[in-house]
Amino acid sequence: ASSHPFMRLFSGMNHQYTRREVFCRNTCHDLKRFWEREIGKQTYYRESEEHRLGRSALRKLREEWKQKLETKLRLRNNPEDAEKRTNVG
């Protein structure tokens, strides 16, 4: 038996498990850091895409057309409102 304190402590254990424990301790931190970075990148990309879409002219046009269609449907369903508007204006 070795006289080194570390070896005496683990002399009864299977060394394959101690190596895995050390390996996992080092790699688990690296894996956590890796995934935190990946999540950060994906969050940034998603937020920048949402921001880009918010400034999009196409989105504004769609909103305008939606309002126009809603107005036309409202006037079609309530013709009395259309007469009131033409008489007032």
Side-chain angles (χ1 to χ4, degrees):
S2 176
S3 62
H4 192 272
F6 180 81
M7 293 308 290
R8 272 186 275 141
L9 180 63
F10 292 107
S11 63
M13 295 181 67
N14 187 340
H15 292 293
Q16 128 186 11
Y17 295 120
T18 58
R19 276 187 255 125
R20 281 191 183 167
E21 181 181 327
V22 171
F23 177 75
C24 183
R25 211 176 304 138
N26 293 336
T27 57
C28 288
H29 176 70
D30 293 338
L31 284 171
K32 179 182 177 208
R33 193 169 23 153
F34 168 78
W35 284 113
E36 285 172 346
R37 282 191 206 136
E38 288 300 309
I39 291 169
K41 286 181 203 174
Q42 291 300 317
T43 302
Y44 172 78
Y45 294 146
R46 183 181 45 80
E47 288 173 352
S48 61
E49 182 65 11
E50 287 174 1
H51 181 68
R52 186 187 68 78
L53 289 174
R55 295 185 331 230
S56 169
L58 182 59
R59 184 175 180 177
K60 292 175 187 172
L61 287 172
R62 284 184 179 155
E63 188 62 34
E64 288 176 16
W65 277 104
K66 180 181 167 187
Q67 290 175 357
K68 288 180 182 182
L69 287 172
E70 287 174 353
T71 303
K72 285 184 179 183
L73 287 173
R74 211 176 315 119
L75 293 175
R76 184 187 304 163
N77 292 336
N78 298 319
E80 304 86 32
D81 290 345
E83 290 177 21
K84 290 177 188 175
R85 288 184 184 186
T86 55
N87 291 338
V88 172

